[in-house]
């Protein structure tokens, strides 16, 4: 039994009604609990993400980048969102031709633009090079247009998230990577992140060492044998490289893996989180998940297996969980940089599996539209935004525009005990967290002091006998006060 | 000094051991009588005390010069490249001489002069008074008394003069018992729990061999047992693994036979000996010192070193001890082989868990002074203060500090002191700058006349205690004698990054919540003062001229600001991250509002050795 279903089972115990619903509905594919959930929230989470306003926030469209509606009815690519941002100099016809050369028609489109350097993060799927080493003039030209749109660089950087061997092996099934000959103006790097099957096995091993009993005698080597932290490190390292290239290297980058919906989503969203402080707010993070994961077709239904009893399904994989784990690692290293707290991340993961909200149901935007998810279900963000204080990190210090580079070193990465081992009775979570509590006390104390200080100032000033004192500078006034008597 | 041949070498490179780029700092190396000093081109100084040097190594000549690697006892590792081989050789030889001292009188403590006058020096040494400490615990009392048996170190050379024993233990019993114990270290009181009337006692192993008995020793244990009215049996903890204890029997030593002693419960707790610990630390340092280590090598390396397992064993033993006292109200006698290494660890950690006094800054000093210094933990041998037997060196005290650090991680509000305090103590245990830790036992310290010739560390730590305060400390969290019950599941034991990478800037955390909280408390204190000042002023004025001011009351509608040290318009958003905290964080300051203009510069400011691109990459591989 997988870890997910284990946790699902545990959660069922939480509420009897929920349990009843689960038993009734779990194996009826078209009827998730989300569709009959009649909870009421003060906020409507479906309003959180509007692609147009998000692109506007990034300063798009501009003279180099345009918004295209070519995919409005999902005709170009059925796993992409309807609204896409592409280079201004590429026509819709070009896009169609490029789509033919990219796996599942997932063409390179813009994810994020650096407000200063105008370097961009593009995402796509692998090119259909195949064994014969096919080339496609349109794709080559399209990537060159992307390079030129940045205006400053001689080379475009392409990050292939896969290990080199896997990319080569993909040629046998018609896939592959951008060769040097075909793309002379591009540099290709492999990021060595393994595929969904490896990640699934890794998490399974992790589950085995923490449940039902925590492996005591050889904890560290057991942890090592799961390779979970190693994968986390590779994903973070890859994202750091992407972010570093865009911001310090001022170069545009293209990120892809095989189909561009698993590792690619991890890399682009983590890089964006490192570069753009907006995504580190509660609302911004919701937008990030909606945009890079949900709208760009991370196959939540297949990866999680909502309403599917085939637990051995090879399509399942904890890719999104891994992303949240990476976010948690970052928040550990930068405790003041994120508006949200650990509880926020855990809540997201809980409802990733719960089917209580429509947010993570189905594989793509087109299916979600067909199933009328936004009309018939509630959004997870409704729950969260209705009681934001519960999910707010007290240490958050609003800071615009600082890039965060976490240390992807083993000396800093750790197992997320509060998530993976939270059901273990030997885990004693101190509630509330003493560090947070102390800080809140200090904050309250400070507010109190400031209030008293202001009151005293008013009393003090209202008693100043010399009315001209109010216009004098503070130091003068002080001396007057002292010498007057 | 006669060992120094070259005092200054220019154009020396300092390499960062975790940086992947080959950039380095260029600067000048100075050799003084006490320190090795490196000043880089941006005038940043790196001081290395000769006594801190554990090993110097000259690597094979390279094209850029002669590499010199210095390993320090505080886990600093510096890697210099000296342009000329002769200079390198001179420095190497000088350091070899200077870091190995043959006589106590040559240690830094005897020449260190902190500008204190004599009375301050005396007062400094009187800061910690152990008689006062025993009084605080509640002894002497009806059951326990001060014994003068060891007043002249006649019974046991490595014990202090003042010892507390059960009232019923007469002098012949003490003498007899000490003859039956290794090095004469007979059972004495280490900690007395007022509420439970139970005691932690300590001693060394009995000289029992396979069958020897000693009636006086049996009486001694019975006396301890009887001194506790709330429980008729007592525990005897042998902190060694059973196998080791049995092997000791062949040498005429061993452990207590339960049949010979009435009402004892005997227990092994399995902490390994000093040699195992030494090689474990060695392995740990190899792992942590390797650059570009893969995730798996790190975790398995950490596990193979066994270091965290040993820390867990020490804490588990302390937890066992504490349970016996707190739950069963039973007295416990702790020993290992000689009763100065593992016994000190377990007794002091046990007391720390039982008594919240030891979780204060002053209390922790008392604890170290009592269980480690006075009871003769061989600091000189274990920390290699003099050029001695390398087999005697062992990180026993480091393990104690690390165990305490683990507790502070689990109970963030329970300790008045913070990590920096533990690190500072560790630093000075090895520095030989103060007299406290010199020598192996009290007798030796008296012979060296340390109290006249050297200074005590504690007053200096107390003077700067602001640095060592834990901002989360909540005195109400643990009133007197509140028991701490740590969770010793293995995943709670973490690699102590700030100890083993204290001097590796690239390994430091980016942000630290503690600084945030510390700054906030500072600001609050400032505000409090402002309020007091203002209140006092108003009061003063009210008292003096209430009549005059009546008609002025309504005049100033808009209040003018008073000169305050804190800006009155305080925003919640105001960044509290310390702007310049070079010690612990690389984390920069707050950026200006114009987007992205400054952060590149900021990072390069914080870390001059590696800029922008490499910066990201450097971190990935370390």
């Amino acid at each position: 039994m997988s870890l997910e279903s284990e946790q699902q089972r545990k959660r069922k115990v939480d509420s009897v009604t929920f349990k009843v619903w689960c038993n009734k509905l779990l194996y009826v594919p078209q009827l998730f609990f989300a569709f009959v959930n009649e909870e009421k929230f003060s906020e409507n989470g479906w309003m959180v993400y509007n692609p147009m306003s998000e692109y506007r926030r990034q300063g798009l469209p501009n003279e180099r980048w345009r918004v295209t509606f070519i995919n409005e009815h999902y005709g170009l690519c059925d796993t992409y969102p309807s609204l896409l941002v592409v280079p201004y100099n590429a026509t819709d016809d070009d896009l169609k031709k490029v789509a033919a050369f990219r796996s599942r028609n997932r063409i390179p489109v813009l994810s994020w633009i650096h407000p200063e350097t105008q370097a961009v993060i593009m995402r796509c799927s692998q090119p259909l090079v195949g064994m014969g080493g096919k080339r496609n003039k349109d794709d080559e030209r399209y990537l060159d247009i992307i390079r030129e749109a940045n205006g400053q660089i001689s080379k475009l950087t392409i990050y292939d998230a896969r290990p080199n061997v896997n990319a080569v092996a993909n040629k046998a099934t018609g896939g592959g990577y951008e060769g040097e000959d075909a793309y002379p103006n591009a540099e290709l790097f492999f990021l060595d992140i393994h595929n969904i099957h490896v990640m699934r096995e890794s998490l399974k091993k992790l589950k085995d060492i923490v449940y039902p009993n925590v492996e005591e005698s050889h904890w560290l080597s057991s942890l090592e044998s799961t390779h979970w932290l190693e994968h986390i490190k590779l994903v973070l390292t890859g994202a750091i490289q992407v972010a570093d290239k865009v911001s310090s290297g001022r170069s545009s980058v293209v990120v892809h893996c095989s189909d561009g919906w698993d590792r690619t989503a991890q890399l682009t969203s983590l890089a964006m989180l490192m570069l753009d402080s907006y995504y580190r707010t509660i609302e911004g993070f919701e937008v990030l998940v909606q945009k890079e994961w949900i709208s760009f077709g991370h196959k939540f239904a297949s990866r999680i297996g909502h309403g599917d009893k085939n637990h051995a399904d090879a399509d399942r994989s904890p890719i999104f969980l891994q992303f949240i784990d990476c976010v948690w690692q970052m928040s550990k290293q930068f405790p003041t940089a994120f508006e949200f707290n650990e509880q926020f991340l855990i809540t997201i993961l809980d409802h990733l599996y719960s089917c209580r909200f429509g947010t993570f149901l189905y594989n793509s935007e087109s299916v979600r539209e067909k199933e009328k998810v936004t009309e018939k279900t509630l959004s997870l963000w409704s729950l969260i935004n209705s009681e934001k204080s519960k999910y707010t990190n007290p240490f958050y210090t609003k800071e615009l525009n600082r890039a965060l580079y976490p240390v992807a070193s083993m000396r800093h990465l750790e197992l997320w005990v509060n998530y993976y081992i939270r059901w273990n009775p030997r885990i004693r979570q101190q509630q509330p967290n003493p560090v947070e509590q102390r800080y809140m006390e200090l904050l309250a104390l400070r507010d109190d002091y400031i209030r008293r200080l202001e009151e005293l100032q008013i009393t003090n000033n209202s008693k100043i006998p010399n009315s001209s004192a109010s216009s004098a500078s503070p130091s003068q006034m002080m001396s007057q006060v002292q010498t007057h008597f | 000094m006669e060992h120094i041949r070259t005092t200054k070498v220019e154009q020396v490179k300092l390499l960062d051991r975790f940086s992947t780029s080959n950039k380095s700092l260029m600067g000048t190396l100075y050799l003084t009588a006490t320190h090795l000093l490196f000043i880089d081109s941006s005038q940043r100084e790196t001081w290395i005390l000769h006594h801190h040097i554990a090993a110097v190594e000259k690597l094979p000549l390279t094209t850029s010069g002669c590499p010199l690697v210095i390993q320090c006892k505080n886990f600093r590792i510096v890697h210099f490249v000296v342009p000329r081989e002769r200079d390198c050789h001179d420095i190497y030889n000088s350091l070899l001489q200077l870091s190995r001292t043959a006589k106590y009188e040559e240690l830094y403590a005897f020449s260190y002069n902190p500008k204190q006058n004599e009375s301050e020096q005396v007062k400094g040494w009187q800061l910690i008074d152990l008689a006062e400490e025993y009084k605080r615990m509640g002894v002497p009392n009806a059951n326990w008394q001060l014994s003068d048996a060891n007043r002249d170190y006649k019974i046991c050379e490595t014990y202090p003069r003042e010892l507390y024993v059960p009232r019923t233990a007469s002098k012949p019993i003490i003498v007899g018992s000490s003859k039956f114990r290794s090095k004469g270290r007979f059972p004495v009181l280490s900690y007395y729990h007022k509420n439970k009337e139970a005691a932690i006692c300590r001693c060394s192993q009995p000289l029992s061999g396979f069958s020897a008995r000693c009636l006086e020793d049996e009486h001694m244990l019975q006396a301890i047992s009887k001194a506790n009215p709330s429980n008729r049996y007592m525990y005897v903890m042998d902190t060694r693994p059973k196998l080791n204890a049995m092997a000791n029997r062949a040498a005429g030593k061993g452990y207590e036979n339960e049949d010979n002693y009435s009402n004892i419960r005997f227990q092994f707790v399995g902490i390994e000996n000093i040699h195992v610990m030494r090689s474990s630390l060695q392995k740990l340092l190899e792992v942590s010192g390797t650059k570009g280590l893969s995730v798996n090598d790190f975790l398995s390396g950490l596990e193979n070193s066994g270091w965290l397992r040993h820390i867990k064993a020490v804490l588990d033993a302390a937890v066992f001890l504490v349970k016996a006292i707190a739950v069963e109200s039973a007295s416990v006698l702790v020993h290992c082989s000689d009763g100065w290494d593992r016994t000190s660890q377990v007794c002091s950690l046990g007391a720390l868990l039982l008594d919240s006094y030891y979780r204060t800054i002053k209390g922790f000093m008392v604890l170290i002074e009592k269980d480690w210094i006075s009871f003769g933990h061989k600091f000189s041998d274990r920390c290699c203060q003099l050029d001695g037997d390398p087999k005697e060196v062992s990180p026993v005290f480091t393990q104690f500090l690390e165990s305490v650090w683990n507790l502070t991680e689990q109970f963030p509000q329970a300790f008045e002191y913070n990590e920096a305090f533990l690190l500072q103590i560790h630093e000075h245990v090895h520095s030989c700058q103060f007299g406290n830790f010199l020598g192996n036992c009290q007798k030796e310290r008296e012979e060296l006349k340390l109290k006249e010739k050297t200074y005590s560390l504690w007053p200096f730590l107390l003077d700067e205690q602001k640095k060592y305060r834990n901002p989360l400390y909540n005195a109400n969290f643990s009133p007197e004698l509140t028991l701490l019950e740590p969770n010793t599941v293995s995943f709670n034991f973490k690699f102590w990054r700030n100890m083993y990478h204290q001097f590796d800037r690239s390994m430091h955390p980016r942000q630290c919540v503690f600084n945030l909280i510390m700054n906030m408390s500072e600001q609050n204190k400032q505000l409090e003062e402002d309020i007091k000042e203002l209140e006092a002023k108003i009061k003063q004025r009210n008292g003096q001229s209430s009549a005059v001011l009546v008609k002025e009351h309504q005049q100033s509608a808009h209040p003018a600001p008073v000169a305050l040290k804190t800006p009155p318009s305080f925003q919640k958003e105001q960044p509290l991250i310390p702007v310049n905290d070079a010690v612990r964080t690389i984390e920069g300051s707050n950026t200006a509002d114009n987007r992205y203009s400054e952060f590149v510069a900021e990072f390069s400011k914080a870390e001059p050795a590696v800029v922008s691109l490499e910066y990201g990459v450097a971190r990935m591989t370390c």
Side-chain angles (χ1 to χ4, degrees):
Chain A
M1 192 185 275
S2 73
L3 186 66
E4 294 96 87
S5 56
E6 185 50 55
Q7 283 167 355
Q8 240 169 356
R9 213 194 61 198
K10 285 231 152 130
R11 253 186 316 281
K12 273 189 258 170
V13 185
D14 287 347
S15 119
V16 179
T17 25
F18 194 50
K19 187 176 175 184
V20 172
W21 275 113
C22 281
N23 287 340
K24 252 190 209 167
L25 302 172
L26 198 56
Y27 300 124
V28 187
Q30 291 316 311
L31 191 58
F32 293 109
F33 177 69
F35 286 92
V36 291
N37 183 1
E38 289 176 4
E39 286 173 283
K40 296 270 182 290
F41 294 107
S42 57
E43 299 283 328
N44 181 1
W46 292 122
M47 308 296 284
V48 164
Y49 177 59
N50 176 331
M52 203 57 220
S53 38
E54 164 56 15
Y55 286 120
R56 278 217 193 90
R57 189 192 66 83
Q58 293 188 22
L60 298 166
N62 60 19
E63 68 277 12
R64 287 178 181 142
W65 298 92
R66 69 188 176 95
V67 171
T68 173
F69 294 95
I70 185 177
N71 203 33
E72 199 175 354
H73 303 292
Y74 308 104
L76 179 77
C77 170
D78 59 354
T79 56
Y80 261 4
S82 57
L83 199 143
L84 300 168
V85 176
V86 294
Y88 193 86
N89 292 338
T91 65
D92 281 1
D93 258 359
D94 291 339
L95 300 180
K96 280 178 194 154
K97 285 179 198 155
V98 173
F101 190 62
R102 289 278 164 180
S103 170
R104 315 215 184 233
N105 302 339
R106 293 171 70 93
I107 57 166
V109 294
L110 181 142
S111 268
W112 189 76
I113 184 163
H114 195 294
E116 202 191 51
T117 68
Q118 299 291 308
V120 298
I121 300 177
M122 307 287 290
R123 59 181 292 170
C124 59
S125 61
Q126 64 183 343
L128 299 174
V129 175
M131 288 302 271
K134 265 185 294 190
R135 292 180 57 164
N136 182 308
K137 279 274 171 281
D138 298 297
D139 192 69
E140 289 161 24
R141 204 169 69 84
Y142 183 67
L143 287 194
D144 223 36
I145 292 174
I146 294 171
R147 180 183 66 83
E148 283 163 4
N150 182 283
Q152 300 154 339
I153 45 162
S154 59
K155 290 243 181 191
L156 178 72
T157 310
I158 301 173
Y159 286 107
D160 189 326
R162 301 166 291 184
N164 194 345
V165 266
N166 295 29
V168 173
N170 258 293
K171 284 187 175 177
T173 51
Y177 54 91
E178 292 83 355
E180 225 174 291
D181 300 339
Y183 302 85
N185 293 332
E187 268 181 302
L188 180 75
F189 297 98
F190 293 101
L191 295 178
D192 291 327
I193 302 169
H194 285 279
N195 62 25
I196 58 166
H197 311 294
V198 175
M199 302 308 179
R200 181 181 57 240
E201 293 314 309
S202 172
L203 184 68
K204 218 174 251 170
K205 283 189 199 143
L206 181 63
K207 182 233 128 194
D208 286 339
I209 67 161
V210 299
Y211 187 87
N213 294 308
V214 177
E215 172 65 44
E216 265 288 317
S217 51
H218 297 284
W219 168 249
L220 288 170
S221 55
S222 314
L223 184 60
E224 178 227 297
S225 67
T226 70
H227 299 283
W228 183 253
L229 288 177
E230 190 185 349
H231 297 313
I232 296 279
K233 181 184 166 177
L234 280 171
V235 173
L236 272 176
T237 308
I240 292 170
Q241 264 172 285
V242 173
D244 197 40
K245 198 75 185 172
V246 170
S247 93
S248 315
R250 301 173 158 257
S251 163
S252 289
V253 300
V254 174
V255 182
H256 70 73
C257 46
S258 296
D259 286 323
W261 50 40
D262 293 313
R263 289 165 274 196
T264 304
Q266 289 179 330
L267 290 170
T268 56
S269 54
L270 283 172
M272 287 156 76
L273 199 64
M274 288 169 195
L275 293 171
D276 194 334
S277 57
Y278 169 69
Y279 298 122
R280 294 175 220 141
T281 63
I282 289 182
E283 195 196 292
F285 191 77
E286 292 167 357
V287 167
L288 184 70
V289 171
Q290 281 287 347
K291 178 176 181 300
E292 287 301 302
W293 291 86
I294 298 171
S295 87
F296 272 100
H298 173 68
K299 303 204 292 173
F300 281 104
S302 312
R303 295 289 175 259
I304 306 304
H306 291 137
D308 175 11
K309 56 179 154 188
N310 180 14
H311 293 298
D313 190 343
D315 254 355
R316 292 198 181 183
S317 190
I319 301 300
F320 186 74
L321 163 63
Q322 202 170 42
F323 159 70
I324 296 288
D325 195 331
C326 291
V327 176
W328 178 81
Q329 304 280 358
M330 279 180 71
S331 73
K332 281 294 267 188
Q333 291 188 30
F334 299 98
T336 70
F338 294 85
E339 194 193 357
F340 47 84
N341 59 14
E342 187 176 51
Q343 193 51 43
F344 176 77
L345 298 177
I346 292 179
T347 306
I348 291 178
L349 288 177
D350 282 349
H351 295 299
L352 171 65
Y353 307 111
S354 76
C355 300
R356 177 173 152 195
F357 300 100
T359 305
F360 296 115
L361 295 183
Y362 305 113
N363 281 337
S364 65
E365 194 177 290
S366 60
V367 184
R368 249 169 249 129
E369 212 160 274
K370 209 178 86 208
E371 300 288 342
K372 298 196 171 62
V373 167
T374 49
E375 291 158 46
K376 292 184 174 170
T377 71
L378 293 167
S379 163
L380 165 61
W381 317 129
S382 305
L383 171 84
I384 285 170
N385 294 354
S386 300
E387 36 178 352
K388 261 191 180 166
S389 61
K390 203 171 145 191
Y391 304 103
T392 307
N393 168 17
F395 299 111
Y396 177 57
T397 316
K398 198 170 177 182
E399 249 185 308
L400 294 169
N401 329 322
R402 201 161 47 85
L404 300 182
Y405 294 114
V407 192
S409 149
M410 256 328 286
R411 296 169 181 88
H412 287 265
L413 300 182
E414 47 184 294
L415 184 73
W416 189 5
V417 168
N418 284 352
Y419 180 69
Y420 298 109
I421 321 187
R422 65 177 153 151
W423 305 114
N424 191 305
R426 287 192 72 185
I427 289 286
R428 242 186 343 204
Q429 279 190 51
Q430 291 185 12
Q431 285 301 349
N433 178 327
V435 185
E436 285 183 16
Q437 199 186 10
R438 174 83 180 130
Y439 190 70
M440 306 285 264
E441 281 168 19
L442 284 171
L443 272 178
L445 195 64
R446 191 181 68 173
D447 290 347
D448 187 46
Y449 279 153
I450 290 168
R451 193 182 45 73
R452 271 173 60 197
L453 203 55
E454 276 163 4
E455 279 171 17
L456 284 172
Q457 276 171 34
I458 291 168
T459 342
N460 188 30
N461 288 317
S462 64
K463 285 182 184 168
I464 289 171
N466 190 342
S467 58
S468 70
S470 55
S471 61
S473 80
S475 57
Q476 279 174 324
M477 193 186 70
M478 288 296 275
S479 60
Q480 274 176 354
V481 170
Q482 277 154 5
T483 51
H484 187 262
F485 299 108
Chain B
M1 273 169 92
E2 71 271 29
H3 303 306
I4 302 175
R5 288 161 92 189
T6 314
T7 54
K8 181 179 173 187
V9 186
E10 280 169 348
Q11 300 285 305
V12 173
K13 270 193 288 191
L14 175 64
L15 306 180
D16 180 345
R17 68 168 165 156
F18 289 109
S19 164
T20 38
S21 65
N22 279 326
K23 290 218 174 112
S24 54
L25 292 170
M26 190 64 90
T28 310
L29 199 62
Y30 297 90
L31 199 57
T32 75
T34 53
H35 289 84
L36 182 68
L37 168 63
F38 179 77
I39 302 180
D40 66 27
S41 44
S42 51
Q43 298 305 310
R44 227 179 32 198
E45 298 172 2
T46 307
W47 291 81
I48 297 168
L49 190 65
H50 295 328
H51 298 314
H52 267 148
I53 296 175
V56 202
E57 198 185 351
K58 229 169 57 166
L59 299 183
L61 199 66
T62 65
T63 47
S64 53
C66 192
L68 188 69
V69 180
I70 299 171
Q71 279 186 44
C72 299
K73 293 171 187 168
N74 54 6
F75 308 119
R76 183 203 283 269
I77 292 183
V78 280
H79 193 148
F80 291 116
V81 179
V82 184
R84 282 168 54 212
E85 201 195 352
R86 228 199 54 202
D87 290 336
C88 182
H89 191 74
D90 282 349
I91 290 182
Y92 171 77
N93 279 335
S94 303
L95 288 179
L96 272 191
Q97 300 292 332
L98 291 166
S99 62
R100 294 265 170 272
T101 314
K103 282 196 305 221
Y104 281 117
E105 283 77 9
E106 288 169 13
L107 291 174
Y108 185 35
F110 289 89
S111 58
Y112 175 66
N113 186 353
K115 298 202 181 89
Q116 272 192 349
N117 62 36
E118 221 166 275
S119 76
E120 282 172 316
Q121 185 181 15
V122 172
K123 243 166 93 190
W125 281 112
Q126 286 166 345
L127 186 71
I128 308 287
D129 180 0
L130 288 184
E132 201 57 43
E133 166 58 11
Y134 283 101
K135 219 178 273 167
R136 189 195 65 84
M137 287 182 210
V139 284
N141 60 18
N143 294 316
W144 294 88
Q145 66 177 4
L146 178 67
S147 156
D148 59 359
N150 200 38
R151 207 169 38 197
D152 304 313
Y153 299 114
K154 284 230 171 81
I155 295 183
C156 174
E157 289 198 333
T158 57
Y159 265 175
R161 288 176 191 272
E162 268 99 51
L163 292 169
Y164 292 83
V165 293
R167 235 173 237 286
T168 49
S170 61
K171 187 132 186 216
I173 290 182
I174 291 175
V175 173
S177 168
S178 80
K179 285 195 176 130
F180 189 63
R181 293 274 168 182
S182 171
K183 307 272 190 325
R185 295 171 69 92
F186 62 97
V188 294
L189 181 80
S190 161
Y191 177 75
Y192 179 76
H193 196 287
K194 266 192 287 219
N195 295 0
K196 306 275 180 192
E197 297 179 273
I200 302 177
C201 294
R202 55 184 292 167
C203 61
S204 60
Q205 64 185 338
L207 302 175
S208 54
F210 289 98
S211 58
R213 288 183 64 165
C214 168
L215 280 179
E216 288 92 341
D217 193 61
E218 287 159 26
H219 280 305
M220 185 75 200
L221 262 64
Q222 203 161 22
I224 292 173
S225 180
K226 283 207 175 119
N228 178 356
S230 42
N231 205 321
R232 38 178 284 280
Y233 59 86
M234 68 181 285
Y235 281 93
V236 175
M237 273 174 82
D238 189 327
T239 55
R240 299 169 291 182
K242 188 172 182 185
L243 214 63
N244 299 20
M246 284 172 54
N248 261 301
R249 287 207 297 200
K253 298 164 189 170
Y255 52 92
E256 291 81 358
N257 185 343
E258 259 178 304
D259 300 336
N260 299 341
Y261 295 84
S262 52
N263 298 324
I264 69 160
R265 297 191 178 176
F266 187 83
Q267 177 77 33
F268 288 110
V269 288
I271 304 172
E272 299 288 348
N273 65 23
I274 58 166
H275 311 294
V276 175
M277 300 309 187
R278 180 178 56 244
S279 75
S280 169
L281 179 67
Q282 197 51 47
K283 284 182 203 151
L284 179 82
L285 294 180
E286 269 164 36
V287 172
S288 72
T290 312
K291 165 166 114 179
L293 206 61
S294 77
V295 175
N296 288 344
D297 289 343
F298 182 76
L299 287 176
S300 57
L302 203 56
E303 167 139 329
N304 289 337
S305 77
W307 184 253
L308 296 181
R309 204 174 61 236
H310 296 315
I311 301 283
K312 176 177 153 59
V314 171
L315 259 182
D316 273 334
V319 169
F320 178 89
L321 165 73
V322 162
K323 276 197 180 138
I325 290 190
V327 180
E328 299 179 51
S329 304
S331 291
V332 185
L333 176 66
V334 184
H335 72 74
C336 47
S337 297
D338 287 324
W340 48 42
D341 293 314
R342 288 167 271 198
T343 303
S344 295
Q345 288 178 330
V346 174
C347 288
S348 54
L349 282 171
L352 188 75
L353 292 173
L354 285 168
D355 194 332
S356 41
Y357 174 66
Y358 300 124
R359 294 169 223 146
T360 63
I361 290 182
K362 178 87 184 289
F364 194 63
M365 297 173 179
V366 170
L367 185 68
I368 292 175
E369 195 72 43
K370 172 169 76 74
D371 270 315
W372 292 87
I373 298 175
S374 87
F375 276 113
H377 172 68
K378 304 203 287 173
F379 278 106
S380 176
D381 290 357
R382 298 289 177 260
C383 304
C384 196
Q385 291 170 350
L386 300 182
D387 197 9
D389 183 0
K391 284 218 166 66
E392 282 286 310
V393 179
S394 190
V396 176
F397 190 74
T398 307
Q399 277 183 328
F400 163 68
L401 291 178
E402 188 161 335
S403 309
V404 176
W405 174 76
N406 267 297
L407 293 174
T408 64
E409 288 283 288
Q410 272 197 49
F411 303 96
Q413 319 108 295
F415 292 83
E416 194 190 5
Y417 40 89
N418 60 17
E419 189 180 40
F421 185 61
L422 302 176
L423 292 175
Q424 191 67 6
I425 291 175
H426 184 260
E427 180 91 3
H428 284 300
V429 164
H430 293 96
S431 74
C432 303
Q433 185 175 347
F434 296 94
N436 306 60
F437 302 104
L438 298 192
N440 282 328
C441 60
Q442 293 294 57
K443 186 169 176 248
E444 203 173 2
R445 282 180 202 111
E446 282 173 22
E447 284 162 7
L448 287 169
K449 299 202 168 57
L450 291 179
K451 293 199 177 175
E452 294 150 45
K453 293 183 179 167
T454 70
Y455 296 85
S456 167
L457 167 67
W458 308 127
F460 292 91
L461 292 184
L462 272 185
D463 276 352
E464 45 185 30
Q465 59 172 304
K466 216 165 129 191
K467 282 201 311 213
Y468 307 125
R469 274 186 188 283
N470 170 13
L472 301 173
Y473 177 58
N474 181 356
N476 302 327
F477 170 81
S478 50
E480 204 191 359
L481 299 179
T482 309
L483 177 70
L484 291 188
E485 292 174 88
N487 186 350
T488 57
V489 281
S490 41
F491 54 77
N492 270 343
F493 291 88
K494 286 177 192 143
F495 175 67
W496 192 2
R497 199 177 52 220
N498 287 343
M499 170 69 103
Y500 302 102
H501 291 303
Q502 198 183 351
F503 298 97
D504 300 309
R505 281 173 63 81
S506 51
M507 288 290 156
H508 289 178
R510 298 282 169 263
Q511 280 186 337
C512 178
V513 174
F514 284 84
N515 289 339
L516 201 69
I517 292 179
M518 225 118 88
N519 283 15
M520 176 77 99
S521 345
E522 283 304 304
Q523 282 182 353
N524 277 355
K525 260 183 222 142
Q526 194 65 63
L527 281 168
E528 209 180 338
E529 272 169 33
D530 284 346
I531 288 176
K532 273 191 200 137
E533 211 172 280
L534 212 52
E535 270 174 348
K537 212 158 52 198
I538 291 171
K539 213 170 161 190
Q540 188 192 13
R541 216 148 20 107
N542 280 352
Q544 288 185 1
S545 55
S546 51
V548 191
L549 290 172
V550 180
K551 61 172 182 177
E552 313 276 353
H553 241 275
Q554 260 73 34
Q555 263 188 355
S556 47
H558 44 91
V562 185
L564 294 171
K565 284 158 210 133
T566 355
S569 56
F570 229 81
Q571 295 293 307
K572 198 186 164 185
E573 278 75 31
Q574 181 152 344
L576 280 160
I577 300 165
V579 177
N580 185 19
D581 188 7
V583 193
R584 286 253 163 260
T585 60
I586 310 189
E587 177 54 37
S589 49
N590 32 315
T591 358
D593 277 338
N594 55 329
R595 215 170 159 81
Y596 292 95
S597 59
E598 277 195 331
F599 68 77
V600 174
E602 214 169 83
F603 272 131
S604 52
K605 233 185 289 161
E607 180 87 304
V610 269
V611 197
S612 63
L613 248 175
E614 276 128 350
Y615 194 59
V617 181
R619 288 181 208 153
M620 282 177 261
T621 40
C622 51

